[in-house]
Amino acid sequence: MSATEPVVLIQQGAEGKLFLGRYQGQECLVKERFSKKYRHPDLDQQLTRQRIKAEQKAFERCKAAGVDTPKFLGVDFGERKIYMEYLSGAQTGKRFVDDSILEGKDGFDKIESLAREIGRVVGQLHGHNIIHGDLTTSNMLLDPVENVEDGKLPYRLVMIDFGLSYHSMNVEDMGVDLYVLERALLSAHSQVPEFFGWILESYKKHNKFKPAETVAKYEEVRARGRKRTMIG
């Protein structure tokens, strides 16, 4: 596999950088994981390789589960890079919600539709035992759809950033995933207190793997989180 060097830095986070580059002549996104200088070089290389493989596996599992992600193009373990499809017309769920809030009632209707779509997609993930690990509206892309059919959404929800994802049949892991999402929504979208409730309603309908047990476990995790907050 031949790939050119990334050319434009788009975003930098705690674990890596995101570039706009090219892969085998195709415009793409390049995710480069940082080297951790405090680790022994051999251990750092081993852990980075494991995490890149886990992220690659998550793409494969999502495809099997019918969950949209950017197309996975390839990896370069030596350069610590993952190459994936660049969705030039997409916007983050966070941007969509922030813009919709400014529209008043019509905007809140759009947010409710998005929330129910998020519930459907997270239900599919958990129904196939996929834990995302970092569910936020910043890790969801809304990719515009042409020739929208009546009653359909004008976008497809595309999940991104599987750096913390893993496979698990443990309902507590799923409950924690939901709790992380709720906390993220409360932080990023406090103007829409109904957001998570809409998601949870849809989630219950679309998670085919022990939805009642998962929601009960989420409520336990939530109660523990509140208790820790009160105690300090």
Side-chain angles (χ1 to χ4, degrees):
M1 294 184 296
S2 63
T4 62
E5 287 298 305
V7 291
V8 179
L9 177 64
I10 296 176
Q11 182 179 328
Q12 180 168 329
E15 294 296 320
K17 297 178 181 179
L18 198 62
F19 297 92
L20 178 61
R22 302 192 73 81
Y23 181 82
Q24 297 183 346
Q26 176 181 346
E27 188 175 51
C28 70
L29 281 181
V30 185
K31 181 177 180 180
E32 178 183 353
R33 297 189 71 94
F34 290 140
S35 172
K36 304 289 186 175
K37 302 301 183 184
Y38 57 83
R39 291 185 189 135
H40 187 280
D42 290 344
L43 176 61
D44 184 62
Q45 184 177 15
Q46 179 185 355
L47 291 174
T48 299
R49 187 180 184 90
Q50 287 175 355
R51 286 173 183 168
I52 289 175
K53 283 186 173 181
E55 197 159 357
Q56 181 178 7
K57 192 69 177 177
F59 277 88
E60 295 170 359
R61 289 185 175 126
C62 284
K63 185 176 181 180
V67 172
D68 285 328
T69 66
K71 292 177 184 175
F72 186 87
L73 301 177
V75 298
D76 185 330
F77 290 111
E79 295 292 324
R80 303 166 170 267
K81 292 170 185 169
I82 297 174
Y83 299 87
M84 68 193 88
E85 177 185 19
Y86 175 52
L87 301 172
S88 59
Q91 64 175 317
T92 65
K94 183 179 187 307
R95 174 68 180 273
F96 178 86
V97 173
D98 289 344
D99 290 347
S100 296
I101 288 171
L102 301 177
E103 297 179 19
K105 183 183 184 307
D106 289 344
F108 275 75
D109 289 343
K110 292 179 182 178
I111 295 170
E112 181 177 354
S113 295
L114 172 61
R116 296 189 184 283
E117 180 66 359
I118 292 171
R120 182 189 70 80
V121 171
V122 176
Q124 276 187 269
L125 286 172
H126 290 178
H128 288 79
N129 310 127
I130 302 167
I131 310 301
H132 184 278
D134 192 17
L135 287 171
T136 72
T137 50
S138 294
N139 287 335
M140 302 170 188
L141 297 181
L142 278 58
D143 189 36
V145 174
E146 296 181 1
N147 304 318
V148 182
E149 299 176 16
D150 289 343
K152 298 291 186 180
L153 295 173
Y155 55 80
R156 64 188 183 107
L157 186 64
V158 180
M159 302 298 294
I160 60 172
D161 200 347
F162 289 89
L164 297 176
S165 69
Y166 57 98
H167 185 265
S168 173
M169 297 179 67
N170 188 329
V171 293
E172 176 146 0
D173 292 339
M174 298 174 194
V176 170
D177 222 18
L178 290 174
Y179 180 63
V180 167
L181 175 57
E182 182 188 31
R183 299 300 300 172
L185 295 177
L186 289 171
S187 174
H189 307 297
S190 58
Q191 310 96 314
V192 194
E194 309 93 341
F195 204 156
F196 186 73
W198 291 329
I199 290 174
L200 203 58
E201 285 179 13
S202 179
Y203 174 87
K204 292 174 185 177
K205 296 177 184 176
H206 293 97
N207 178 7
K208 304 302 182 186
F209 180 79
K210 300 181 178 178
E213 291 93 327
T214 301
V215 172
K217 189 59 67 172
Y218 145 74
E219 290 171 349
E220 286 182 24
V221 171
R222 186 171 185 257
R224 292 201 301 267
R226 281 187 167 183
K227 184 175 181 180
R228 282 196 298 270
T229 301
M230 290 171 62
I231 294 174

